[in-house]
Amino acid sequence: MRKYTCLLLLYLFTSLALSAQNSSPLRKLQLAELAITNFYVDSVNEQKLVEDAIRGMLEKLDPHSTYTDAKETKAMNEPLQGDFEGIGVQFNMIEDTLVVIQPVVNGPSEKVGILAGDRIVLVNDTSIAGVKMPRTDIMKRLRGKKGTKVKLGILRRGVNDMLTFVVTRAKIPVHTLSASYMIRPSIGYIRLESFGAKTHDEFMAAIDSLRRQGMKSLILDLQDNGGGYLQAAVQVSNEFLQDNDLIVYTEGRRARRQTFKAIGNGRLKDMPVYVLVNEFTASAAEIVSGAIMDNDRGIIVGRRTFGKGLVQRPLDLPDGSMIRLTIAHYYTPSGRCIQKPYKKGDLKDYAMDLEKRLKHGELTNPDSIHFDDSLRYHTLRRHRTVYGGGGIMPDYFVPLDTMRYTRLHRQLSAKNIIIDAFMKYMDSNRRQLKKSYPTFDAFNAAYELPQPLIDAILAEGRKQKIEPKDAKEQEATLPYLRFQLKSLVARDLWDMNEYFRVWNEQSDIVNKAIELITAQ
C-alpha cells in the first residue's frame, strides 16, 4: 500500500510540475515544499521548513523586513503595547539564582510582601536555582494570565527557613519613559527609551509635573531610542508644532503617500526644546528629531542618528507569527529620506555601519563627515541647509570621547565582570545602603564607591587575563567606572530615573545642551 501511495504522490508531483512550467513562482515554491515533505530521505519539520523559507526570502530584501514566530512576536510587542501579565518584579541572575532587584510598586509581588534582595528558588515546586535554567524559561514560568496564581519559594537574608508566597498575576505596566526630573533650575529633562502605545500619556504626565516644578526649557533625550510606533512619534511631535506643520510623510512603490501633520492642539508650542541624539537613535525617534529640526522648532544636539527610515507593515499570520514587510520610506518635512544606504541581502555590511563610522572618524571628528550636495535640503522656516542620505545630523555635534571609555573598561564590561561584582556588592549591602541613605538626594551628595569593590573588579580582571596596559590606562578607567557603578547603585536602590540623575552629570551630550540653554 505504501508503495502505491508513493507512486501516486510522485505521479501527482510530476503532473503538477509539468502544469506549473508557465505558472507563478508561488506554485514552484509549493512544489518544492511538497517534494521535500514527501520524498526527502529523512523526516523534516514542515513548520520549520516553511519558516526558514520565509526568513530566506526576507533576508534577500532590506535589513528591516523580518519574520518572527508566535513567541518572538509576543516578546517583541510587549514593550510597545505598554503592559504584560506576570508577578511584577525586576530581577537579575546571580550565580544561577534569581535575585529580586525591585518589586513593581503596587504590583502583585509587593502586595504579598516580596522584597528587594529576595531569592526566588522555587516556582510551583519546580526548582529554578542552581539548575542553569535559561532566563527565557524562568520568565515563562513567572509570567501567566492575569488572575492566575503562582506559588514561589523564597530565600531571604536573615531568615533561616524558606518562605512561601502565593502571587496572583496581574497586568504589569511597561514604561517607555525612563527618566523625568529638573536637571537644573528651570530646565526639565525627559528621557524616552522607545515609542509605545502609552508614550504620549507618560510624556505629557511628566511635562505637567516638570511645569509645576518651574520648567521653562526642556531637554528631550532620545539617545539610544530605537523607535517604535509611528503614531506615538507623531503625537509627541505634535505637542511642539503649529497647526498644519508637517511632521513626516511616507511613500513607497505600492504605498500611496501618507502625510502626518500637526493639528494645532500642542501644549509645548512655545517651550524651548533641545533634542539629544546619538548613533543609536533610530526610526520613530528620528521622525521626532527630523520634525523638530526641519520646522526650525528646536535644537538637535549629539551625533548623527542611525538612519532607519523604512516603514514596516505588520502582517499577522494565523498561528500568531508575523511578517513585518517594508512597504515605504519615511521622509522628514524638508523631503529628506531618513534611511541610510544598504545593499539588498547584505545584512553583515549593514550591521557594520557603526563600526565603519568609528573607523572613519565620524563619531569623534565632525570634519570627517562629508555630505553629497545632491542631497542638500532646507528647513521650512529659516531655510537652513540640512542633508539627506541617512539619519539626522545634529545642529551641534558632540564627539564620542573614546579616551574616557578605555580598552580596559570595554573588556571588563564584555566579560560581565563589572555587573557581576556590582550585583554581589548590592546583594550584601542593599539593606545597609537603604538605611544609610533614606533619600536619593542624601545618597547623591554623600555616597562614595567603596575601594574594595573597585579592587574586586580589577582582581577578577587579572584572573581572566584582563589587565591595564599601563598605570595611565588604569587611572583613565577609574573615574568612568565609578560613575557607572554609582549610577547602578542608584538604579538598584530607587529606579532608572535616579540612574540617569547620576549618569547624566558626566554626559558630554547632556552637558552641551545645558550649556546651550544657559547661554541664551
Side-chain angles (χ1 to χ4, degrees):
M1 184 67 182
R2 185 175 178 183
K3 176 182 176 184
Y4 289 120
T5 303
C6 288
L7 286 171
L8 179 60
L9 283 168
L10 184 60
Y11 169 75
L12 288 172
F13 177 79
T14 306
S15 299
L16 285 168
L18 288 170
S19 67
Q21 284 179 355
N22 296 314
S23 277
S24 70
L26 178 59
R27 176 60 62 86
K28 192 175 181 179
L29 189 63
Q30 289 173 326
L31 288 169
E33 194 273 337
L34 179 66
I36 294 168
T37 303
N38 290 286
F39 299 123
Y40 184 64
V41 62
D42 296 319
S43 61
V44 294
N45 182 329
E46 195 171 352
Q47 177 76 15
K48 187 173 186 305
L49 205 64
V50 172
E51 289 186 345
D52 288 345
I54 295 171
R55 293 184 200 273
M57 285 190 287
L58 295 174
E59 283 172 3
K60 298 300 180 184
L61 303 178
D62 65 275
H64 298 291
S65 289
T66 57
Y67 168 82
T68 51
D69 63 29
K71 284 183 181 178
E72 292 167 337
T73 300
K74 185 179 179 184
M76 179 180 68
N77 285 338
E78 275 179 350
L80 297 177
Q81 290 171 343
D83 53 45
F84 64 91
E85 296 175 345
I87 67 168
V89 294
Q90 299 175 38
F91 69 88
N92 261 323
M93 301 301 296
I94 301 180
E95 296 175 348
D96 295 332
T97 301
L98 186 155
V99 178
V100 176
I101 297 176
Q102 292 283 359
V104 173
V105 176
N106 295 323
S109 290
E110 185 187 65
K111 286 177 181 176
V112 299
I114 292 174
L115 304 175
D118 284 351
R119 288 165 162 75
I120 301 179
V121 295
L122 292 177
V123 179
N124 288 331
D125 299 322
T126 298
S127 177
I128 65 168
V131 293
K132 297 190 181 297
M133 184 179 290
R135 190 184 180 104
T136 51
D137 288 352
I138 292 173
M139 291 177 68
K140 185 178 177 182
R141 283 171 165 77
L142 295 176
R143 290 186 178 184
K145 288 190 176 181
K146 177 183 176 182
T148 59
K149 297 181 185 295
V150 59
K151 185 171 73 171
L152 304 179
I154 284 179
L155 297 179
R156 179 175 292 170
R157 280 185 177 274
V159 178
N160 293 329
D161 298 326
M162 185 173 70
L163 304 173
T164 300
F165 295 89
V166 176
V167 180
T168 302
R169 297 182 179 100
K171 277 196 177 291
I172 309 300
V174 177
H175 299 293
T176 57
L177 187 152
S178 57
S180 168
Y181 67 98
M182 294 297 293
I183 195 166
R184 296 290 186 274
S186 81
I187 303 174
Y189 170 92
I190 292 176
R191 183 179 176 100
L192 296 178
E193 295 293 334
S194 61
F195 286 87
K198 298 182 179 179
T199 296
H200 181 251
D201 291 342
E202 292 178 36
F203 178 71
M204 293 313 298
I207 288 292
D208 291 340
S209 174
L210 294 174
R211 274 185 155 161
R212 289 193 293 270
Q213 297 174 60
M215 176 177 67
K216 303 298 181 188
S217 300
L218 171 66
I219 295 175
L220 176 58
D221 192 347
L222 301 182
Q223 293 179 87
D224 305 324
N225 184 316
Y229 291 153
L230 167 63
Q231 193 56 43
V234 169
Q235 288 175 322
V236 170
S237 300
N238 175 73
E239 295 296 338
F240 296 99
L241 300 176
Q242 302 295 324
D243 186 29
N244 213 40
D245 279 352
L246 181 59
I247 295 172
V248 67
Y249 67 92
T250 66
E251 198 166 16
R253 180 177 67 90
R254 299 296 295 272
R256 291 182 179 179
R257 175 166 170 158
Q258 191 174 9
T259 301
F260 299 85
K261 293 185 176 183
I263 57 177
N265 64 344
R267 292 163 53 192
L268 301 170
K269 290 184 282 190
D270 299 318
M271 173 76 67
V273 58
Y274 294 74
V275 182
L276 311 186
V277 298
N278 65 5
E279 55 277 8
F280 298 107
T281 303
S283 191
E286 293 176 291
I287 289 172
V288 175
S289 306
I292 287 175
M293 177 181 248
D294 285 8
N295 283 292
D296 293 296
R297 178 56 191 84
I299 301 298
I300 314 298
V301 182
R303 293 183 289 277
R304 181 165 70 94
T305 61
F306 182 86
K308 196 272 186 184
L310 297 175
V311 184
Q312 281 74 51
R313 173 175 290 170
L315 305 171
D316 295 314
L317 300 177
D319 64 349
S321 60
M322 177 192 287
I323 292 174
R324 299 183 76 246
L325 186 67
T326 297
I327 61 163
H329 286 91
Y330 289 121
Y331 295 88
T332 69
S334 67
R336 292 185 284 168
C337 179
I338 297 171
Q339 180 61 41
K340 63 187 176 185
Y342 62 88
K343 300 173 188 174
K344 286 186 178 180
D346 194 342
L347 298 180
K348 184 178 180 182
D349 180 73
Y350 192 76
M352 295 293 286
D353 178 65
L354 293 179
E355 189 171 324
K356 289 179 191 173
R357 290 195 203 185
L358 182 60
K359 286 181 178 176
H360 293 162
E362 180 186 325
L363 300 182
T364 55
N365 187 350
D367 293 337
S368 66
I369 304 168
H370 303 289
F371 296 103
D372 188 335
D373 275 346
S374 66
L375 299 173
R376 184 193 298 259
Y377 295 84
H378 295 92
T379 61
L380 303 185
R381 286 187 169 82
R382 298 180 186 171
H383 306 291
R384 296 180 298 121
T385 298
V386 290
Y387 289 91
I392 303 293
M393 184 66 190
D395 298 299
Y396 288 90
F397 175 82
V398 180
L400 178 68
D401 188 350
T402 55
M403 298 300 292
R404 181 185 297 175
Y405 191 44
T406 65
R407 177 201 60 86
L408 173 62
H409 197 151
R410 288 195 299 273
Q411 291 184 350
L412 291 170
S413 296
K415 292 283 189 178
N416 280 335
I417 292 171
I418 296 171
I419 292 298
D420 288 348
F422 159 74
M423 289 194 297
K424 289 174 184 175
Y425 166 74
M426 287 305 299
D427 192 42
S428 301
N429 296 280
R430 183 180 288 106
R431 185 176 295 179
Q432 182 57 44
L433 286 167
K434 283 191 170 184
K435 185 177 178 181
S436 300
Y437 304 104
T439 67
F440 171 76
D441 287 337
F443 167 85
N444 202 30
Y447 176 77
E448 290 186 10
L449 208 71
Q451 188 60 38
L453 176 55
I454 299 292
D455 293 341
I457 291 170
L458 295 175
E460 182 59 31
R462 286 193 294 272
K463 254 193 227 181
Q464 299 191 34
K465 303 191 184 312
I466 299 172
E467 298 191 50
K469 61 183 178 182
D470 51 35
K472 187 176 178 182
E473 185 184 38
Q474 178 166 314
E475 187 179 342
T477 300
L478 295 183
Y480 195 70
L481 178 58
R482 286 194 172 95
F483 248 111
Q484 179 186 10
L485 288 165
K486 183 176 179 179
S487 301
L488 289 170
V489 173
R491 183 201 67 182
D492 195 293
L493 295 178
W494 290 278
D495 209 338
M496 287 302 293
N497 192 72
E498 284 67 36
Y499 171 91
F500 283 108
R501 287 184 68 176
V502 175
W503 184 253
N504 284 339
E505 291 306 309
Q506 58 79 50
S507 167
D508 291 335
I509 292 179
V510 172
N511 283 316
K512 181 63 177 179
I514 293 171
E515 175 193 321
L516 292 168
I517 295 170
T518 53
Q520 295 296 315

